[in-house]
Amino acid sequence: MALEVCTKAAVGVPDALGDCPFTQRVLLTLEEKKVPYKLHLIDVSNKPQWFMEANPEGKVPCVKFDGKWTPDSDVITQILEEKYPEPSLVTPPEYSSVGSNIFSSFVKFLKSKDASDGSEQALVDELKALEDHLKEHGPYVNGENVSAVDLSLAPKLYHLVVALGHFKEWSIPKDLTYVNSYVEVCERLLTFYVIDA
């Protein structure tokens, strides 16, 4: 039986998947685990009554497990790992925080109006830490196998590349070759499973 999944609809295009890294993470996890699902696209500016009754906080993504709607991509992906352990996407504890500060550094840099506030360097430092990890352990965070950390980082890195390229004409430094290769692999995952779905 297919799981029911509520996701953000595209702004102005209610029958298309919205651009949300947390939804993309959940969909990537479902696809990697080959769990069948039925998608409900939610217009977040006009949430349907049934959705608000089932999920009073109105958060997306949201997945129905055992008759109960569960929001929060962290919680959802943990439940998916427990209910569908194969293939395992568990990231070893020593790698579970790899890249964990990239998204917040990206958002800070994106919002920054002051070129000297250090936000760009903070992002570059986070990307350099990922570079060092991938150089030693890659091509994925957990070596040869995709893990939960990769499925969390992939949509965030996609958003980083698109948003910073558009709004700041900025790109990941070319000398971060492992990160740039990783971004390409992540974009292929997203394109295959989520973006062109």
Side-chain angles (χ1 to χ4, degrees), residues 13-184:
V13 189
D15 59 345
L17 183 64
D19 199 17
C20 169
F22 307 104
T23 291
Q24 291 168 341
R25 174 187 181 193
V26 168
L27 295 178
L28 283 171
T29 302
L30 288 164
E31 293 288 348
E32 282 292 317
K33 289 186 166 291
K34 300 190 180 353
V35 176
Y37 59 93
K38 178 183 177 189
L39 209 54
H40 298 285
L41 298 172
I42 304 298
D43 178 350
V44 294
S45 65
N46 186 24
K47 297 172 185 167
Q49 184 65 32
W50 70 265
F51 175 70
M52 293 306 295
E53 288 171 5
N55 177 18
E57 293 181 33
K59 292 182 178 179
V60 289
C62 187
V63 176
K64 192 174 190 179
F65 293 109
D66 303 321
K68 181 179 179 229
W69 288 97
T70 303
D72 189 314
S73 62
D74 286 335
V75 175
I76 292 167
T77 56
Q78 287 173 351
I79 293 171
L80 287 171
E81 189 62 42
E82 291 167 10
K83 288 186 168 290
Y84 306 94
E86 296 300 324
S88 175
L89 297 174
V90 173
T91 305
E94 63 271 22
Y95 299 158
S96 64
S97 66
V98 170
S100 63
N101 294 322
I102 289 174
F103 195 67
S104 59
S105 296
F106 148 62
V107 171
K108 184 175 181 180
F109 176 47
L110 180 64
K111 292 179 176 180
S112 173
K113 305 273 190 247
D114 178 3
S116 64
D117 70 358
S119 61
E120 179 180 9
Q121 188 58 51
L123 175 59
V124 170
D125 291 346
E126 292 299 328
L127 292 170
K128 283 181 180 174
L130 178 60
E131 173 82 4
D132 293 343
H133 178 86
L134 292 171
K135 190 182 295 184
E136 188 173 337
H137 303 286
Y140 296 104
V141 169
N142 190 29
E144 295 296 322
N145 300 312
V146 171
S147 71
V149 167
D150 301 299
L151 301 182
S152 178
L153 275 174
K156 293 171 182 175
L157 288 169
Y158 171 77
H159 284 260
L160 179 153
V161 168
V162 171
L164 291 178
H166 178 77
F167 292 107
K168 297 222 180 222
E169 296 181 9
W170 189 92
S171 60
I172 296 171
K174 299 276 188 242
D175 65 326
L176 299 179
T177 56
Y178 287 86
V179 170
N180 280 293
S181 294
Y182 181 69
V183 166
E184 289 176 20

